[in-house]
Amino acid sequence: MTDRHANIADGLTPENRARVIQSRADNFVPNPEYDGALARMEKDPSYADTLTPHMRLCLGTYANDKTAHDDLNS
């Protein structure tokens, strides 16, 4: 398991793991607002404390999708 996709379950077959990554990549739609929020959290981790749980979840999902997209399209 790579660090970039560490939140994918360990028990998946390589084929199912590839499907999960492909699905995430297919779901990715660039969002400048989310990119800005992720960059801000990287610079100032306490910024995450100001976000609602829903927004943190959305950003986490967006980051997973973006990572998969970048990996498959680089």
Side-chain angles (χ1 to χ4, degrees):
M1 178 182 313
T2 65
D3 290 338
R4 291 175 60 83
H5 301 289
N7 60 348
I8 296 175
D10 287 331
L12 293 178
T13 64
E15 294 81 14
N16 285 340
R17 183 177 172 75
R19 273 191 224 120
V20 169
I21 293 171
Q22 183 64 56
S23 176
R24 287 179 175 182
D26 292 345
N27 289 335
F28 179 70
V29 176
N31 184 323
E33 182 181 344
Y34 283 12
D35 286 329
L38 290 171
R40 185 169 174 193
M41 278 194 313
E42 193 171 313
K43 291 178 188 170
D44 178 15
S46 66
Y47 173 66
D49 295 335
T50 69
L51 301 172
T52 65
H54 177 76
M55 184 58 154
R56 286 193 299 257
L57 179 64
C58 290
L59 288 173
T61 301
Y62 178 80
N64 289 338
D65 293 350
K66 182 177 182 176
T67 299
H69 178 268
D70 292 348
D71 285 353
L72 295 179
N73 293 294
S74 58

